[in-house]
Amino acid sequence: MGDLQATTGDNLIEVRDLHFQRGNRLIFDGVDIDIARGKITAIMGPSGTGKTTLLRLIGGQLRPERGTIHLEGNNIPRLNRTELFAVRRKMGMLFQSGALFTDLNVYENVAFPLRVHTQLTEEMIRDLVLIKLQAVGLRGARDLMPSELSGGMARRAALARAIVLDPQLIMYDEPFVGQDPISMGMLVQLIRLLNDSLGLTSIIVSHDVHETASIADYIYVIADGKVVGHGTPEQVMNTDEPRVRQFIRGLPDGPVPFHYPAVNYRDDLLLGA
Amino acid sequence: MLNFLQRLGLNGLETLTVLGRAGRFWWQALWGLPDWRNGPRLLVRQLYFVGVYSLVIIIVSGIFIGMVLALQGYTVLVRFGADQALGQLVSLALIRELGPVVAALLFAGRAGSALTAEIGLMKATEQLASMEMIGVDPLKRVIRPRLWAGMISMPILAQIFNMVAIWGAVAVGVDWLHVDTGSFWSNMQSAVEFREDVVNGLIKSVVFGAVITWIAVFQGYDAVPTSEGISAATTRTVVYSSLAILGIDFLLTAVMFGVN
């Protein structure tokens, strides 16, 4: 596994010793993650391992029990409400459902962050919105309502909204789920293109191994509340760590068992006799 | 026995926690610097959704309640030869009690449930979370205008309800059952006090409007973001706010009109 801890100066986000619990379920049990500036970092892992929770912790929507999340000197869990809202202006987030505001059309959705955070004139807002919509290929769909968009289009419109304030960081929550091959390919390309052309730092949370591996610069694999492996896509693909191997190869049985815990099969059958 | 006590304590604690959360939620949403740029526009929009959309049910119910009230009142009063007192009976019953309470119950069913479902759905589709990530506080942007809209539109709706109900009572009592017009109106005028009756009725409906919208938006905001969760939250809104209206009405009546 690569040793990322050595290159701390270039990290936009540093997560240290993160503990998070939901009810009685331990979601994170001492997680360390570095998000390198200007790169695409993928957080992968089986469903239910708290990948989305991690994004919410970074966005400050949840607070961890223990540990720090530093974004350029700000420890996010320690910020008060006002400071948090200020830091969030540097972040864009693409939600799984797109989360467009259903009472506004595409144009107004993209214009929303500009209207609340800037004093720009209507002409400038129009130019910026059209530039971002052009980047995601939806300039012609500006007058449609969110309910009239397909899943892929909704996600692209939401992407335009997420980047309209030119954030430093953009977080993608399961961007490939439920996409047909065409819009999947389009999204993969867009994520790479936006990252490189706008100088963004990107975090992708996903369990789609191949799409993610094809664009990520660095991959973390989370399982059982811990980072079980990390490295470049090649390193992760060729690892010997059994949990990572099972996940990457998609093997039905392994350290993550196929069978839900149960009593002995033979005993169970005989019980009914 | 011990188990029962334990469960009682646990339920008590849970209820208190929810109440505390709801109280903080209300406080945070309602107070703070007003947003002069977007506030008025958002408020007008909500006044339209919450208030104007409730007009039809308020007006139709008001007419019928006034008509029934006049009919029932007349059949009793006429036995004692006191049918001239109909105006007094109808107006006092409406302005003090029926107007604020029935309008509030209708409002809870019409606007309260819609508010809960809307906000619950906004939560389920991550719209509230994405608003937070954009750096806009949904408590201020989404919740606050709805709370104010409820408090402003409820008293107006209750007064409209009173007016059409009295009109319905006139239609039945005066036009149909031939109670003397002059005594109907003059009895009403001499019986209804502005401070004692009208203002107290208005205070009641402001309180009801605040309580209903508080319950409705909190249930939506606190809903489990699934379809069952939202439907349960909508039900809770109607049940809790109906009970709250009737309970608070008794308390307010006792304070306002109680025997000294």
Side-chain angles (χ1 to χ4, degrees):
Chain A
M1 292 284 112
D3 183 14
L4 199 82
Q5 257 67 8
T7 60
T8 32
D10 297 327
N11 294 331
L12 183 67
I13 296 178
E14 292 180 359
V15 177
R16 289 290 174 272
D17 192 33
L18 188 70
H19 286 72
F20 183 75
Q21 204 168 337
R22 183 168 279 158
N24 288 324
R25 218 162 74 83
L26 197 61
I27 309 252
F28 294 122
D29 183 17
V31 165
D32 296 332
I33 287 176
D34 291 318
I35 308 295
R37 205 184 290 273
K39 299 275 197 268
I40 300 179
T41 307
I43 315 283
M44 307 192 74
S47 305
T49 45
K51 302 186 296 291
T52 304
T53 308
L54 182 67
L55 295 189
R56 296 199 165 215
L57 284 162
I58 293 175
Q61 294 186 305
L62 297 171
R63 277 170 205 266
E65 258 86 64
R66 213 167 84 213
T68 58
I69 301 168
H70 276 283
L71 187 147
E72 294 201 312
N74 295 305
N75 183 12
I76 289 170
R78 284 301 178 81
L79 298 180
N80 67 32
R81 222 174 154 78
T82 323
E83 294 168 330
L84 195 59
F85 278 110
V87 167
R88 281 184 187 152
R89 288 180 206 181
K90 297 187 207 164
M91 307 179 186
M93 179 151 172
L94 184 66
F95 285 84
Q96 212 176 112
S97 57
L100 292 169
F101 303 130
T102 39
D103 54 340
L104 302 176
N105 65 17
V106 170
Y107 179 93
E108 285 300 323
N109 259 290
V110 179
F112 182 86
L114 293 170
R115 291 197 199 285
V116 292
H117 287 315
T118 69
Q119 309 280 338
L120 297 177
T121 61
E122 202 50 44
E123 294 84 67
M124 287 174 87
I125 288 179
R126 188 185 133 88
D127 288 348
L128 282 169
V129 170
L130 291 188
I131 289 170
K132 303 298 178 188
L133 280 176
Q134 174 74 11
V136 298
L138 289 180
R139 193 166 45 83
R142 73 187 104 161
D143 294 326
L144 297 182
M145 294 303 282
S147 55
E148 297 171 283
L149 301 177
S150 70
M153 283 162 81
R155 225 165 280 190
R156 281 191 281 155
L159 185 52
R161 186 180 67 183
I163 57 170
V164 75
L165 282 175
D166 289 320
Q168 291 178 287
L169 169 72
I170 181 158
M171 300 188 272
Y172 300 92
D173 184 7
E174 300 282 5
F176 309 122
V177 166
Q179 300 292 306
D180 63 66
I182 300 174
S183 50
M184 180 113 82
M186 214 140 54
L187 271 170
V188 168
Q189 212 184 7
L190 258 179
I191 291 173
R192 184 79 248 180
L193 195 74
L194 289 175
N195 188 79
D196 296 349
S197 60
L198 301 179
L200 288 166
T201 301
S202 311
I203 306 177
I204 301 180
V205 149
S206 180
H207 51 232
D208 289 282
V209 174
H210 296 287
E211 285 72 25
T212 310
S214 70
I215 47 168
D217 296 307
Y218 206 81
I219 296 178
Y220 282 85
V221 181
I222 305 184
D224 306 326
K226 288 194 160 61
V227 173
V228 292
H230 59 98
T232 61
E234 295 78 46
Q235 286 171 324
V236 170
M237 285 299 201
N238 300 318
T239 181
D240 293 331
E241 216 284 329
R243 279 178 296 188
V244 179
R245 260 175 80 96
Q246 185 192 359
F247 178 75
I248 297 289
R249 305 267 163 86
L251 306 174
D253 207 357
V256 179
F258 171 70
H259 291 288
Y260 193 82
V263 296
N264 186 291
Y265 187 35
R266 187 162 171 273
D267 294 349
D268 211 359
L269 286 179
L270 288 176
L271 215 63
Chain B
M1 186 61 196
L2 209 64
N3 242 335
F4 172 75
L5 280 178
Q6 219 171 21
R7 212 152 359 115
L8 199 71
L10 191 69
N11 283 341
L13 280 178
E14 271 171 13
T15 312
L16 279 179
T17 317
V18 172
L19 269 178
R21 214 168 48 229
R24 276 187 44 146
F25 166 85
W26 189 70
W27 187 255
Q28 281 182 350
L30 210 49
W31 306 112
L33 291 174
D35 172 7
W36 293 114
R37 196 143 69 103
N38 296 306
R41 189 174 49 83
L42 293 169
L43 180 64
V44 167
R45 203 180 145 89
Q46 287 312 316
L47 280 172
Y48 184 73
F49 281 122
V50 168
V52 177
Y53 279 12
S54 304
L55 265 179
V56 174
I57 187 171
I58 291 281
I59 289 174
V60 173
S61 315
I63 293 174
F64 281 111
I65 294 230
M67 282 162 56
V68 167
L69 201 58
L71 197 54
Q72 290 284 10
Y74 179 83
T75 53
V76 175
L77 289 174
V78 79
R79 260 188 264 166
F80 307 101
D83 50 330
Q84 266 84 20
L86 188 64
Q88 183 175 347
L89 172 106
V90 165
S91 58
L92 284 184
L94 280 171
I95 291 167
R96 287 183 175 183
E97 292 295 336
L98 284 175
V101 172
V102 177
L105 289 173
L106 294 170
F107 185 75
R110 169 65 187 79
S113 57
L115 280 177
T116 306
E118 185 193 15
I119 291 175
L121 218 64
M122 286 175 90
K123 183 181 182 185
T125 53
E126 298 175 309
Q127 290 182 52
L128 296 179
S130 75
M131 196 173 278
E132 268 185 27
M133 285 305 300
I134 288 171
V136 175
D137 189 348
L139 285 183
K140 307 281 183 245
R141 176 95 188 182
V142 177
I143 304 297
R144 184 192 276 174
R146 285 167 172 78
L147 285 173
W148 280 109
M151 266 192 286
I152 295 169
S153 51
M154 186 70 258
I156 300 174
L157 288 170
Q159 293 318 300
I160 295 173
F161 182 92
N162 284 340
M163 281 190 284
V164 294
I166 289 172
W167 183 73
V170 171
V172 168
V174 175
D175 299 339
W176 180 31
L177 300 169
H178 302 298
V179 174
D180 181 60
T181 319
S183 39
F184 183 94
W185 289 112
S186 64
N187 269 328
M188 186 186 293
Q189 260 178 8
S190 58
V192 176
E193 299 257 346
F194 180 74
R195 170 69 193 78
E196 184 79 347
D197 302 313
V198 178
V199 172
N200 277 344
L202 273 172
I203 293 172
K204 275 187 180 181
S205 42
V206 174
V207 174
F208 294 157
V211 170
I212 294 167
T213 34
W214 176 29
I215 292 176
V217 292
F218 178 71
Q219 289 297 343
Y221 198 78
D222 211 43
V224 182
T226 59
S227 36
E228 301 93 53
I230 293 171
S231 99
T234 313
T235 310
R236 274 202 302 274
T237 292
V238 177
V239 173
Y240 290 176
S241 43
S242 304
L243 292 177
I245 291 161
L246 298 171
I248 292 171
D249 180 55
F250 177 75
L251 290 179
L252 288 177
T253 305
V255 172
M256 291 168 171
F257 307 100
V259 250
N260 298 315

PDB file of all heavy atoms in Angstrom, chain B residues 173-190:
ATOM      1  N   GLY B 173     -81.854  32.546   9.460  1.00  0.00           N
ATOM      2  CA  GLY B 173     -82.675  33.132  10.516  1.00  0.00           C
ATOM      3  C   GLY B 173     -83.602  34.227  10.018  1.00  0.00           C
ATOM      4  O   GLY B 173     -84.806  34.218  10.306  1.00  0.00           O
ATOM      5  N   VAL B 174     -83.041  35.155   9.271  1.00  0.00           N
ATOM      6  CA  VAL B 174     -83.824  36.320   8.878  1.00  0.00           C
ATOM      7  C   VAL B 174     -84.624  36.057   7.609  1.00  0.00           C
ATOM      8  O   VAL B 174     -85.833  36.272   7.556  1.00  0.00           O
ATOM      9  CB  VAL B 174     -82.894  37.553   8.698  1.00  0.00           C
ATOM     10  CG1 VAL B 174     -83.688  38.739   8.176  1.00  0.00           C
ATOM     11  CG2 VAL B 174     -82.204  37.880  10.014  1.00  0.00           C
ATOM     12  N   ASP B 175     -83.922  35.564   6.567  1.00  0.00           N
ATOM     13  CA  ASP B 175     -84.590  35.441   5.274  1.00  0.00           C
ATOM     14  C   ASP B 175     -85.560  34.273   5.225  1.00  0.00           C
ATOM     15  O   ASP B 175     -86.595  34.326   4.569  1.00  0.00           O
ATOM     16  CB  ASP B 175     -83.541  35.281   4.164  1.00  0.00           C
ATOM     17  CG  ASP B 175     -82.623  36.488   4.110  1.00  0.00           C
ATOM     18  OD1 ASP B 175     -83.032  37.547   4.620  1.00  0.00           O
ATOM     19  OD2 ASP B 175     -81.502  36.366   3.592  1.00  0.00           O
ATOM     20  N   TRP B 176     -85.212  33.192   5.945  1.00  0.00           N
ATOM     21  CA  TRP B 176     -86.034  31.997   5.841  1.00  0.00           C
ATOM     22  C   TRP B 176     -87.013  31.896   7.003  1.00  0.00           C
ATOM     23  O   TRP B 176     -88.215  31.704   6.813  1.00  0.00           O
ATOM     24  CB  TRP B 176     -85.124  30.761   5.770  1.00  0.00           C
ATOM     25  CG  TRP B 176     -85.845  29.457   5.657  1.00  0.00           C
ATOM     26  CD1 TRP B 176     -87.050  29.235   5.059  1.00  0.00           C
ATOM     27  CD2 TRP B 176     -85.410  28.202   6.196  1.00  0.00           C
ATOM     28  NE1 TRP B 176     -87.399  27.912   5.154  1.00  0.00           N
ATOM     29  CE2 TRP B 176     -86.404  27.255   5.847  1.00  0.00           C
ATOM     30  CE3 TRP B 176     -84.290  27.775   6.903  1.00  0.00           C
ATOM     31  CZ2 TRP B 176     -86.298  25.911   6.200  1.00  0.00           C
ATOM     32  CZ3 TRP B 176     -84.179  26.434   7.237  1.00  0.00           C
ATOM     33  CH2 TRP B 176     -85.185  25.516   6.897  1.00  0.00           C
ATOM     34  N   LEU B 177     -86.504  32.047   8.246  1.00  0.00           N
ATOM     35  CA  LEU B 177     -87.350  31.840   9.413  1.00  0.00           C
ATOM     36  C   LEU B 177     -87.991  33.143   9.921  1.00  0.00           C
ATOM     37  O   LEU B 177     -88.694  33.137  10.914  1.00  0.00           O
ATOM     38  CB  LEU B 177     -86.542  31.180  10.538  1.00  0.00           C
ATOM     39  CG  LEU B 177     -85.956  29.811  10.163  1.00  0.00           C
ATOM     40  CD1 LEU B 177     -84.958  29.340  11.196  1.00  0.00           C
ATOM     41  CD2 LEU B 177     -87.061  28.772  10.005  1.00  0.00           C
ATOM     42  N   HIS B 178     -87.708  34.228   9.240  1.00  0.00           N
ATOM     43  CA  HIS B 178     -88.363  35.514   9.509  1.00  0.00           C
ATOM     44  C   HIS B 178     -88.173  36.051  10.924  1.00  0.00           C
ATOM     45  O   HIS B 178     -89.101  36.523  11.545  1.00  0.00           O
ATOM     46  CB  HIS B 178     -89.873  35.443   9.182  1.00  0.00           C
ATOM     47  CG  HIS B 178     -90.099  35.062   7.761  1.00  0.00           C
ATOM     48  ND1 HIS B 178     -89.659  35.831   6.706  1.00  0.00           N
ATOM     49  CD2 HIS B 178     -90.677  33.971   7.214  1.00  0.00           C
ATOM     50  CE1 HIS B 178     -89.967  35.223   5.579  1.00  0.00           C
ATOM     51  NE2 HIS B 178     -90.585  34.095   5.852  1.00  0.00           N
ATOM     52  N   VAL B 179     -86.954  35.939  11.442  1.00  0.00           N
ATOM     53  CA  VAL B 179     -86.601  36.694  12.646  1.00  0.00           C
ATOM     54  C   VAL B 179     -86.502  38.151  12.217  1.00  0.00           C
ATOM     55  O   VAL B 179     -86.021  38.444  11.132  1.00  0.00           O
ATOM     56  CB  VAL B 179     -85.258  36.212  13.221  1.00  0.00           C
ATOM     57  CG1 VAL B 179     -84.826  37.095  14.390  1.00  0.00           C
ATOM     58  CG2 VAL B 179     -85.357  34.760  13.653  1.00  0.00           C
ATOM     59  N   ASP B 180     -86.945  39.060  13.083  1.00  0.00           N
ATOM     60  CA  ASP B 180     -86.948  40.476  12.717  1.00  0.00           C
ATOM     61  C   ASP B 180     -85.526  40.985  12.459  1.00  0.00           C
ATOM     62  O   ASP B 180     -84.643  40.848  13.308  1.00  0.00           O
ATOM     63  CB  ASP B 180     -87.588  41.287  13.846  1.00  0.00           C
ATOM     64  CG  ASP B 180     -87.622  42.755  13.486  1.00  0.00           C
ATOM     65  OD1 ASP B 180     -88.257  43.092  12.470  1.00  0.00           O
ATOM     66  OD2 ASP B 180     -86.978  43.545  14.213  1.00  0.00           O
ATOM     67  N   THR B 181     -85.303  41.571  11.268  1.00  0.00           N
ATOM     68  CA  THR B 181     -83.961  42.011  10.888  1.00  0.00           C
ATOM     69  C   THR B 181     -83.402  43.005  11.886  1.00  0.00           C
ATOM     70  O   THR B 181     -82.256  42.887  12.331  1.00  0.00           O
ATOM     71  CB  THR B 181     -83.975  42.709   9.510  1.00  0.00           C
ATOM     72  OG1 THR B 181     -84.828  41.986   8.651  1.00  0.00           O
ATOM     73  CG2 THR B 181     -82.584  42.799   8.939  1.00  0.00           C
ATOM     74  N   GLY B 182     -84.187  43.966  12.231  1.00  0.00           N
ATOM     75  CA  GLY B 182     -83.722  45.013  13.139  1.00  0.00           C
ATOM     76  C   GLY B 182     -83.248  44.455  14.453  1.00  0.00           C
ATOM     77  O   GLY B 182     -82.146  44.761  14.907  1.00  0.00           O
ATOM     78  N   SER B 183     -84.060  43.600  15.080  1.00  0.00           N
ATOM     79  CA  SER B 183     -83.640  43.089  16.385  1.00  0.00           C
ATOM     80  C   SER B 183     -82.474  42.112  16.241  1.00  0.00           C
ATOM     81  O   SER B 183     -81.619  42.042  17.129  1.00  0.00           O
ATOM     82  CB  SER B 183     -84.812  42.437  17.120  1.00  0.00           C
ATOM     83  OG  SER B 183     -85.617  41.717  16.236  1.00  0.00           O
ATOM     84  N   PHE B 184     -82.406  41.373  15.131  1.00  0.00           N
ATOM     85  CA  PHE B 184     -81.264  40.471  14.906  1.00  0.00           C
ATOM     86  C   PHE B 184     -79.960  41.254  14.973  1.00  0.00           C
ATOM     87  O   PHE B 184     -79.057  40.941  15.739  1.00  0.00           O
ATOM     88  CB  PHE B 184     -81.403  39.792  13.541  1.00  0.00           C
ATOM     89  CG  PHE B 184     -80.317  38.789  13.226  1.00  0.00           C
ATOM     90  CD1 PHE B 184     -80.493  37.450  13.504  1.00  0.00           C
ATOM     91  CD2 PHE B 184     -79.118  39.201  12.638  1.00  0.00           C
ATOM     92  CE1 PHE B 184     -79.503  36.525  13.203  1.00  0.00           C
ATOM     93  CE2 PHE B 184     -78.125  38.288  12.341  1.00  0.00           C
ATOM     94  CZ  PHE B 184     -78.332  36.945  12.626  1.00  0.00           C
ATOM     95  N   TRP B 185     -79.888  42.331  14.190  1.00  0.00           N
ATOM     96  CA  TRP B 185     -78.634  43.091  14.116  1.00  0.00           C
ATOM     97  C   TRP B 185     -78.401  43.926  15.372  1.00  0.00           C
ATOM     98  O   TRP B 185     -77.257  44.011  15.839  1.00  0.00           O
ATOM     99  CB  TRP B 185     -78.624  43.990  12.881  1.00  0.00           C
ATOM    100  CG  TRP B 185     -78.484  43.223  11.597  1.00  0.00           C
ATOM    101  CD1 TRP B 185     -79.425  43.082  10.630  1.00  0.00           C
ATOM    102  CD2 TRP B 185     -77.336  42.490  11.162  1.00  0.00           C
ATOM    103  NE1 TRP B 185     -78.947  42.310   9.595  1.00  0.00           N
ATOM    104  CE2 TRP B 185     -77.660  41.928   9.898  1.00  0.00           C
ATOM    105  CE3 TRP B 185     -76.081  42.241  11.704  1.00  0.00           C
ATOM    106  CZ2 TRP B 185     -76.773  41.145   9.167  1.00  0.00           C
ATOM    107  CZ3 TRP B 185     -75.190  41.454  10.972  1.00  0.00           C
ATOM    108  CH2 TRP B 185     -75.542  40.909   9.720  1.00  0.00           C
ATOM    109  N   SER B 186     -79.467  44.541  15.917  1.00  0.00           N
ATOM    110  CA  SER B 186     -79.214  45.404  17.071  1.00  0.00           C
ATOM    111  C   SER B 186     -78.848  44.576  18.297  1.00  0.00           C
ATOM    112  O   SER B 186     -77.993  44.975  19.088  1.00  0.00           O
ATOM    113  CB  SER B 186     -80.424  46.285  17.359  1.00  0.00           C
ATOM    114  OG  SER B 186     -81.511  45.473  17.727  1.00  0.00           O
ATOM    115  N   ASN B 187     -79.440  43.395  18.464  1.00  0.00           N
ATOM    116  CA  ASN B 187     -79.045  42.505  19.552  1.00  0.00           C
ATOM    117  C   ASN B 187     -77.584  42.101  19.423  1.00  0.00           C
ATOM    118  O   ASN B 187     -76.851  42.017  20.397  1.00  0.00           O
ATOM    119  CB  ASN B 187     -79.919  41.257  19.576  1.00  0.00           C
ATOM    120  CG  ASN B 187     -81.128  41.456  20.477  1.00  0.00           C
ATOM    121  OD1 ASN B 187     -81.033  42.174  21.459  1.00  0.00           O
ATOM    122  ND2 ASN B 187     -82.227  40.846  20.113  1.00  0.00           N
ATOM    123  N   MET B 188     -77.200  41.804  18.165  1.00  0.00           N
ATOM    124  CA  MET B 188     -75.808  41.414  17.926  1.00  0.00           C
ATOM    125  C   MET B 188     -74.884  42.563  18.311  1.00  0.00           C
ATOM    126  O   MET B 188     -73.895  42.376  19.023  1.00  0.00           O
ATOM    127  CB  MET B 188     -75.620  41.056  16.450  1.00  0.00           C
ATOM    128  CG  MET B 188     -74.236  40.504  16.152  1.00  0.00           C
ATOM    129  SD  MET B 188     -73.971  40.245  14.396  1.00  0.00           S
ATOM    130  CE  MET B 188     -75.096  38.950  14.035  1.00  0.00           C
ATOM    131  N   GLN B 189     -75.248  43.769  17.856  1.00  0.00           N
ATOM    132  CA  GLN B 189     -74.386  44.924  18.123  1.00  0.00           C
ATOM    133  C   GLN B 189     -74.230  45.208  19.605  1.00  0.00           C
ATOM    134  O   GLN B 189     -73.132  45.484  20.089  1.00  0.00           O
ATOM    135  CB  GLN B 189     -74.961  46.157  17.443  1.00  0.00           C
ATOM    136  CG  GLN B 189     -74.255  46.467  16.148  1.00  0.00           C
ATOM    137  CD  GLN B 189     -74.871  47.667  15.461  1.00  0.00           C
ATOM    138  OE1 GLN B 189     -75.725  48.359  16.015  1.00  0.00           O
ATOM    139  NE2 GLN B 189     -74.442  47.903  14.244  1.00  0.00           N
ATOM    140  N   SER B 190     -75.319  45.083  20.346  1.00  0.00           N
ATOM    141  CA  SER B 190     -75.205  45.423  21.768  1.00  0.00           C
ATOM    142  C   SER B 190     -74.529  44.298  22.550  1.00  0.00           C
ATOM    143  O   SER B 190     -73.944  44.549  23.603  1.00  0.00           O
ATOM    144  CB  SER B 190     -76.587  45.718  22.349  1.00  0.00           C
ATOM    145  OG  SER B 190     -77.412  44.590  22.171  1.00  0.00           O
TER     146      SER B 190
END
